[in-house]
Amino acid sequence: MENVLIVGATSAIAQETAKCFARSGAALFLVGRSPDKLQAVADDLSVRGASKVGSLAVDLTQTTRHPEILQGARAFLGRIDGVLIAHGTLPAQERAERDREYAADALEVNLVSPVSILTVLSSYFYEQGTGCIAVITSVAGDRGRRSNYVYGAAKGGLARFLEGLRARLAPAGVRVLTVKPGLVDTPMTAHLPKNLLFASAERVGKRIHRAMLRGQAVVYIPWYWRWIMLVLRSIPEPFFRRLPL
């Protein structure tokens, strides 16, 4: 995969994935909100072996600017072989329960924005007839839990969208990868107490890179989350809603 677009490129997981592509000499186009952070990431990736690194600073909630992402990536890379969409936030559930604007903003960042970007990119990849689109969702989207159902609703909706997009693009030869990390030790989860279920951003990034190259459809990271969520999904609703999850 020689030319890769990374949206939300300053996130910890995106940076670790980008490092894997850089080590193989790929050309990278980075998109994020902060010009200074983008430049720092670009400089690091250049040192690590990327053939060239470009960037575009965009507030990703400004959906009217999403066509600029495709235009900028095509102008810099020429051809886009793969894209990773990695931006998002982890809203505070208690605040989202009482603040409707805050809850709506969480859905805007974690669901509406990625769907908008994917809608722009999907037509390009369909016409190209090849490529890989990878999107980071979350195991939180597999079942609604009282502790994070606003975030889970956004990620669950995004996962359903990706299922349909995968079916639409498969006949054209385009692969769509749904990435479902569990708990990851990143700045976004810095406020949470850590336990043995947490994975490092480096481990997750390497696994995403491998899944993109292999053409996988859905990947849980680490692998054990597939079985954890299988158990949670199998619990009948009357019992599940009583659990302190």
Side-chain angles (χ1 to χ4, degrees), residues 101-146:
E101 291 187 358
Y102 180 78
D105 287 344
L107 293 174
E108 181 74 27
V109 173
N110 293 297
L111 176 58
V112 176
S113 172
V115 165
S116 173
I117 295 169
L118 287 164
T119 301
V120 172
L121 294 174
S122 60
S123 295
Y124 166 81
F125 278 99
Y126 185 88
E127 293 176 5
Q128 180 172 271
T130 186
C132 175
I133 299 172
V135 185
I136 297 178
T137 62
S138 171
V139 297
D142 278 18
R143 188 157 194 184
R145 295 178 290 132
R146 70 177 69 179

Side-chain angles (χ1 to χ4, degrees), residues 173-195:
V174 180
R175 296 172 285 114
V176 176
L177 168 62
T178 302
V179 181
K180 295 187 177 186
L183 297 166
V184 185
D185 189 1
T186 68
M188 191 170 76
T189 61
H191 63 289
L192 299 176
K194 302 301 182 290
N195 56 49

